[in-house]
Every structure is written in structure tokens, then in C-alpha cells.
Amino acid sequence: MEAWRCVRRGYGRCVVGRGRYPMLPHHVKSLGRDWTTPWENLQRCCWNRHISSCMRWPGHYYRAPYPYFSSRHFSLNWRPACLFESRTQFQYLNWRPDHLSQTSLIHLSSYSMNSEGDQPSSKRRKHQGTIERHWEYVYNDNKENTKILGDKNVDPKCEDDENKFDFSVISYNILSQDLLEDNSHLYRHCRRPLLHWSFRFPNILREIKHFDADVLCLQEVQEDHYGSEIRPSLESLGYHCEYKMRTGRKPDGCAICFKHSKFSLLSVNPVEFYRPDIPLLDRDNVGLVLLLQPKIPCAASPAICIANTHLLYNPRRGDIKLTQLAMLLAEISSVAHRKDGSFCPIVMCGDFNSVPGSPLYSFIKEGKLNYEGLAIGKVSGQEQSSRGQRILSIPIWPPNLGISQNCVYEVQQVPKVEKTDENLAQTQLEKTEIIVTAEKLSSNLQHHFSLSSVYSHYFPDTGIPEVTTCHSRSAITVDYIFYSAEKEDLVGEPGAKVALVGGLKLLARLSLLTEQDLWTVNGLPNENNSSDHLPLLAKFRLEL
């Protein structure tokens, strides 16, 4: 079937004729780019039969380019003869459905269709099904043939003995119900019953039970659901739960949960990115850092630092994102620091709202970033054009934040003053001011961890990007598990202080999917996956 088109003025071209015709009567109202007409005006042209709702398809073209009627109530040969005043004879249309109340409006969008079918070419609705994800074995001693996760016998179990400690970590943005409802335009491809919390939470809990990870790092955990359902359910599974709610009026936050049988809790360290005295930091995002002690039969073992965060989404505020990241890294540095100057092993999880290869991502992995001349919208890689954007200021954050360009907490050093020598005292004060001024003008950020990403972000055989989140507007990677990789030597910049980092071996990871894979099950959320993010899962080994 050839496509037909609505235009804003209410005229179009019939696929079988060449003339212009008025598509809609004068009483049909226009709202933005969508044409709408009340239900009662449609009843006359539909033989008083029930009409289902307008389906809005996912993707960049999120409005359906045609009314979406129910094939249950109309034959495939039905013609909308009375819908158009010109009564032009159309070819038979094969329109199909959902459910709509009699108070609803029908939308006729300005987007066009192609001739392959009655769905927009950007995304095509697929049958519901199960997403198959498999284990990818990374460490040589643990490699096996790739098998489907559904077979419990092939799950790479974490084994502990006197020489090693194995553990698994999940990072999962579970999609706050309030945020889902506030951003319903992102989920127009979903059937409404699938978006109810009463349907979603059992699915999420089922996934968590199935993966059986030792540590859970959860984002977008809604406070009321955490208290009434999430925490009690996880505690019944043997987890200890710690939670940090976002500041202000935001109802969700981050949670870290760990199994009593694997770890004991040494410290809990929440991080609030909102600072009332710093105009730059006016957002309510948070982080959470835990220090855990592995429970193993041998004597002393190093603690493990687990961090979880959800950075600001706004693609045009890279300055805020970098500052929030620096605050999280400073807290990690404080918590994971050992007496000998080294750091214990680190796992940093979360929704970083940045894509692979972006300056923010590169800073995490490489430990350095020169941001001179960098547009704020380019920091996270979400903005394709930097036109009209301002450049990052140097420094990005003010000195009263108390965090250095090395992403550690600054210790204010009071210059020693000899009371008997006023000239010497003045010289020492001048030297101190010069040092501070030089640091302020630096456009180089650093951190002293050796962090690697669990995932490679692209499929090696095809180069197709992996995806961690998928909804009506986009399908990209923004979720990560970073860990302090095991390395023999760390080489830093000349004169830079480099700390040795306790290393972890990555044993295995749960495979990710492509955008095409996800749309075969109608994107996210769907019948089996109840968040718009995929859970990330990795297995690590700590050598003792």
C-alpha cells in the first residue's frame, strides 16, 4: 500500500489521484503537528463500531502517521469514506489497533509512511518474546563455550578458597515509577498494563533472583517502593541494603545491597552532589560508596570499595557532570585509601548518562582529561552539535568545593609563620597564593585509579554498538561497571603522584544486545524486561 500524507494545512495527495483535496472537515482541530478529531465525529464514519486507540510508534518518529484502528472490529476491506469530505475513493486500507475511550481524540500526524507496511520505517512493532543473553568468559582460566543464561548449569559460579575470592556485581537502573509517569512520551511503544508498578516489580525481582549476584547497585530506586517492597524483598533473599535518596523533591535514589554470606559492612558513605553555596551544583543527583570486607576463611584480606551513582542527564551540562564525577572520585579515594598509600580494589557502577568514547568516559578510563576549549555539550557525547554552546570554564568548579584537579579532597595547609620575622612570613604567604593560582588555571583533570570497563561497547565481529537502554527516543549505552584492573605497573605523568591500586580479574560478563535485538521484543520495557535499562552483570576475582 502506498503511503498517504497529512500536511498541516489539511491538504494531501491521494495515492491514486494527482489532485489536492481537503483531508479533514473544518471542525477538526490542529494541535501542533498532530491533527485531532473528537470521537463523536468519527462514530458517523465507522458504523457506530468501537474504535481502538491511536498507537504511537517508538523511535525518533514517535507519532503514528495514521489513525490506528482495530482489526477486530473492521474488516480488512474497510474504507474510511466518510472521514474525508471529498469522499475521494481510496485504495483499501489495512489499519490496525489498540483501545481508546470515547473521550479520546484520534491523531493524524504529519509524518509519512513507506510502502512496506503500516508501521513507521524507523521502528516496527514486533511480537513479544524473551531476550536471550549469554555469559562471555573473559579470564582464560574460566573460558568455556558460550551458552544461554537460561541453563543454570553454565552459570560461572563464584568460588572461594584460601588464595582467591570470587564475587559478582549487578548494575541496574530499575526505572522509577514516578519518572516513568512523568516521561510517558518515552514509552508510547509499550502497552499500558506493562508499565504498571504492580506488573514491573515482580519482573525486576525475578531477574534479581535469577542472576543471584553478590552485590546489587541499583539506580532510580523510588523511596516509597524501597521501603515497602524492594528492601523487604531483598532482605528476604539474604541481602543487606543501604540507600541514598536524591536531595530536594526527587523521590528516587541509589541503593547498594550485598549478601550477608559474602561480605561484612565496614563503612557507608553517601555523596550529595547538591551544594547550596555553589551555583554550579544545583542538581539533586547522589552517589553511594560502601567499604565491604570479604568473608573468607583465610586471615587478612583487602576490603573492596563499591560505588554507585546516577549522574545528571542534561546533555548540555557537561560541566555539572564532570564536577559530580569528581566529587564521587574524591569520596572513593577517601574511602578506599590504605595506610600504605595504595587503594583497595574498586568497583564503580551506575548510570553515567555518557556514551562510550566521550570525554567523560575517557577520563574515567584513562585517568586524565585536558578540557581546555571543550564545549559543555560535548562532555557526555549525547549532543551531536556544539553550536551555540559555551566552553568549559577553567577551572570547572570553584575552590570552595574543596576538591582538587586530581579529584581528591583538598587539605588546607596553613603556612608556618615565624612571629619574629615579618618579612619571612609575608614571603611564605605570597608563595602559597601563587601555588593556589597556578592550580586554578589548570585545565587538566586527573585521578589515580586504574579503571577498566567490564564491557567493550561494540560487538567485535560486526562493530555494531552494544545498548544498555532503549526507549521510544533512543537506544544507547549509558550504564557501566568500572573496576580497578589488575596491572603490573602504572605509569603516570612526570612529577605526578601515582598510587598503586589493588587489582581485580574480570572472569565473565553477561552479554549485552544491539538496538535491533531489543526491537524484536518491542524495545524496553516489555513483557519480560520491566525497565528501560538492561541489567549489567560481571564476575570478578580477587587474588589473595
Side-chain angles (χ1 to χ4, degrees):
M1 182 189 74
E2 292 291 328
W4 58 274
R5 182 188 302 270
C6 297
V7 293
R8 186 168 300 180
R9 290 176 297 178
Y11 289 90
R13 291 187 182 274
C14 176
V15 294
V16 296
R18 296 186 178 180
R20 290 157 62 92
Y21 58 89
M23 294 191 67
L24 299 172
H26 65 87
H27 57 266
V28 177
K29 301 176 183 179
S30 174
L31 298 176
R33 288 190 292 183
D34 280 6
W35 289 100
T36 64
T37 186
W39 162 268
E40 51 269 20
N41 294 335
L42 288 173
Q43 278 188 316
R44 294 192 300 271
C45 67
C46 297
W47 308 304
N48 292 322
R49 302 294 299 272
H50 177 72
I51 294 183
S52 297
S53 71
C54 315
M55 182 63 193
R56 292 191 172 191
W57 289 93
H60 297 293
Y61 305 135
Y62 57 91
R63 293 183 174 88
Y66 52 91
Y68 196 62
F69 298 120
S70 175
S71 59
R72 296 179 305 160
H73 303 101
F74 302 107
S75 72
L76 296 179
N77 294 331
W78 177 76
R79 290 184 296 176
C82 298
L83 183 59
F84 307 102
E85 288 186 342
S86 65
R87 300 183 182 270
T88 305
Q89 295 299 313
F90 277 75
Q91 291 182 348
Y92 295 155
L93 302 178
N94 182 17
W95 290 346
R96 296 179 302 178
D98 265 348
H99 299 294
L100 193 72
S101 68
Q102 293 193 4
T103 59
S104 300
L105 300 176
I106 188 166
H107 293 249
L108 301 177
S109 169
S110 60
Y111 294 118
S112 63
M113 296 161 51
N114 63 23
S115 59
E116 293 183 28
D118 54 355
Q119 297 121 333
S121 58
S122 59
K123 302 286 185 295
R124 303 189 185 283
R125 190 178 179 93
K126 304 292 184 180
H127 296 292
Q128 295 293 338
T130 303
I131 299 177
E132 291 186 345
R133 300 175 66 186
H134 59 267
W135 284 102
E136 297 174 344
Y137 297 93
V138 180
Y139 184 49
N140 288 333
D141 291 349
N142 203 52
K143 282 187 178 179
E144 301 178 15
N145 294 329
T146 300
K147 300 178 183 178
I148 300 301
L149 180 63
D151 184 355
K152 295 182 179 179
N153 296 325
V154 302
D155 188 348
K157 297 299 180 183
C158 296
E159 300 177 357
D160 304 331
D161 60 26
E162 294 183 357
N163 300 317
K164 65 179 184 291
F165 177 77
D166 292 356
F167 65 100
S168 55
V169 178
I170 273 184
S171 181
Y172 195 4
N173 182 326
I174 64 173
L175 181 57
S176 160
Q177 189 67 22
D178 279 6
L179 292 178
L180 182 156
E181 294 171 4
D182 289 344
N183 298 276
S184 59
H185 61 282
L186 299 178
Y187 311 105
R188 287 176 176 148
H189 60 287
C190 302
R191 293 192 294 114
R192 285 300 304 175
L194 304 185
L195 300 180
H196 296 159
W197 178 248
S198 59
F199 178 87
R200 294 177 55 235
F201 178 63
N203 263 1
I204 292 169
L205 188 61
R206 175 186 54 80
E207 285 184 291
I208 291 174
K209 286 181 179 179
H210 180 72
F211 294 137
D212 195 31
D214 300 313
V215 180
L216 312 176
C217 291
L218 307 178
Q219 304 89 41
E220 291 194 22
V221 179
Q222 194 163 304
E223 183 192 27
D224 55 344
H225 293 155
Y226 174 76
S228 62
E229 297 176 78
I230 298 174
R231 180 174 181 173
S233 298
L234 294 180
E235 287 180 342
S236 69
L237 298 176
Y239 289 97
H240 174 91
C241 302
E242 295 291 340
Y243 177 70
K244 174 58 183 173
M245 182 180 169
R246 285 206 280 172
T247 51
R249 298 181 179 179
K250 305 299 182 180
D252 65 288
C254 295
I256 300 179
C257 313
F258 61 90
K259 286 187 176 180
H260 290 287
S261 59
K262 296 284 286 190
F263 298 97
S264 57
L265 180 64
L266 296 181
S267 68
V268 180
N269 308 273
V271 185
E272 295 184 356
F273 298 142
Y274 172 75
R275 296 291 179 87
D277 57 330
I278 300 177
L280 174 68
L281 296 173
D282 59 351
R283 308 305 166 94
D284 295 311
N285 305 83
V286 296
L288 185 61
V289 182
L290 266 56
L291 192 64
L292 304 180
Q293 181 66 51
K295 291 183 177 180
I296 50 178
C298 70
S301 67
I304 298 174
C305 180
I306 306 290
N308 184 23
T309 192
H310 189 178
L311 299 186
L312 176 70
Y313 165 74
N314 192 336
R316 291 178 170 265
R317 293 310 304 267
D319 51 346
I320 298 179
K321 295 187 187 194
L322 276 175
T323 306
Q324 290 180 346
L325 176 62
M327 295 171 72
L328 180 68
L329 292 172
E331 187 65 27
I332 292 172
S333 178
S334 175
V335 172
H337 191 266
R338 291 172 174 170
K339 293 181 179 180
D340 62 1
S342 64
F343 295 92
C344 66
I346 297 165
V347 179
M348 184 172 70
C349 302
D351 181 343
F352 290 82
N353 274 314
S354 302
V355 301
S358 65
L360 187 144
Y361 172 88
S362 299
F363 173 53
I364 294 174
K365 285 197 65 178
E366 297 173 10
K368 58 183 179 179
L369 173 67
N370 186 344
Y371 59 86
E372 184 176 5
L374 181 62
I376 59 173
K378 289 290 186 180
V379 169
S380 64
Q382 296 163 291
E383 282 282 305
Q384 299 302 315
S385 173
S386 59
R387 180 179 299 177
Q389 295 180 8
R390 63 181 176 85
I391 304 301
L392 286 170
S393 60
I394 301 176
I396 299 175
W397 56 82
N400 61 327
L401 181 59
I403 294 176
S404 73
Q405 299 293 290
N406 291 330
C407 298
V408 296
Y409 291 124
E410 288 181 319
V411 178
Q412 283 192 327
Q413 296 182 352
V414 180
K416 294 181 180 180
V417 179
E418 297 290 341
K419 294 182 180 180
T420 58
D421 192 338
E422 294 182 1
N423 292 332
L424 178 60
Q426 184 65 29
T427 302
Q428 289 175 334
L429 288 172
E430 288 175 356
K431 286 182 179 179
T432 303
E433 289 173 0
I434 292 172
I435 292 173
V436 171
T437 302
E439 185 178 9
K440 282 183 179 180
L441 295 177
S442 173
S443 62
N444 293 300
L445 294 181
Q446 294 185 53
H447 68 77
H448 299 318
F449 309 124
S450 175
L451 297 176
S452 295
S453 173
V454 164
Y455 291 92
S456 57
H457 314 308
Y458 296 91
F459 288 89
D461 298 335
T462 62
I464 297 175
E466 296 173 333
V467 165
T468 67
T469 181
C470 179
H471 51 64
S472 294
R473 290 289 182 86
S474 67
I476 55 175
T477 286
V478 293
D479 307 278
Y480 303 94
I481 300 177
F482 295 104
Y483 67 102
S484 53
E486 187 178 59
K487 292 190 177 181
E488 294 291 334
D489 298 306
L490 297 174
V491 180
E493 293 294 322
K497 180 182 178 182
V498 178
L500 296 176
V501 181
L504 297 171
K505 289 182 179 178
L506 176 62
L507 301 180
R509 64 194 174 205
L510 189 62
S511 67
L512 288 173
L513 302 166
T514 67
E515 179 181 3
Q516 184 178 3
D517 292 334
L518 287 171
W519 283 117
T520 62
V521 290
N522 201 39
L524 296 173
N526 56 53
E527 288 183 350
N528 298 293
N529 307 91
S530 286
S531 173
D532 58 349
H533 292 248
L534 291 173
L536 280 58
L537 175 57
K539 311 251 180 180
F540 298 103
R541 173 169 295 169
L542 174 63
E543 300 284 358
L544 304 176

